[in-house]
Amino acid sequence: MSVRVRRVYEPPESADGVRVLVDRLWPRGVSKEAARVDEWPKGMTPSNELRRWYHAGEGSYEEFARRYEAELAAPQAAELLDHLRSLARAGAVTLVTAAKAPEVSHAAVLARLLD
């Protein structure tokens, strides 16, 4: 399995494999052509409440990750997560995000769950 996380603002690479946008909103200033996103599973992104809570600085990354994993247990999100697992088993998958610090974002949580 090969799963990696990259910012959507970085140019796509041939090693990216399937590019999956893991943000709820389309990234500002990036065209669909430039992003070269293959899939956009909005149903597995963090809820607006959780996203706002985390970005407001009210909790730690560890607590955010725990809460996000709980959200991913919901049926629709779990189904989408299983789909990403099957993609990762078949080849390279790159989770793309607009997050300024992807290593402490929901994308990092997803990558850990997929590995």
Side-chain angles (χ1 to χ4, degrees):
M1 253 194 265
S2 174
V3 177
R4 67 184 191 162
V5 176
R6 298 186 65 217
R7 293 198 70 218
V8 71
Y9 301 106
E10 298 171 7
E13 297 176 353
S14 60
D16 285 348
V18 178
R19 290 174 56 89
V20 181
L21 179 63
V22 294
D23 294 342
R24 184 174 300 270
L25 303 174
W26 188 263
R28 198 174 298 216
V30 178
S31 71
K32 293 189 182 199
E33 295 77 30
R36 287 201 357 224
V37 168
D38 299 304
E39 300 209 12
W40 187 12
K42 296 178 196 177
M44 65 182 304
T45 61
S47 66
N48 287 329
E49 296 78 19
L50 180 58
R51 188 175 47 79
R52 286 183 187 126
W53 172 84
Y54 183 53
H55 291 298
E58 296 178 20
S60 67
Y61 173 71
E62 292 75 19
E63 179 64 16
F64 166 77
R66 187 188 67 71
R67 291 182 183 193
Y68 182 41
E69 285 182 41
E71 288 186 356
L72 289 171
Q76 180 188 10
E79 184 177 318
L80 291 168
L81 189 59
D82 285 342
H83 172 67
L84 286 185
R85 280 191 186 107
S86 68
L87 290 175
R89 279 189 223 102
V93 171
T94 299
L95 307 178
V96 293
T97 180
K100 291 180 182 175
E103 65 280 357
V104 289
S105 72
H106 64 291
V109 174
L110 287 172
R112 180 174 47 79
L113 292 174
L114 294 171
D115 272 341

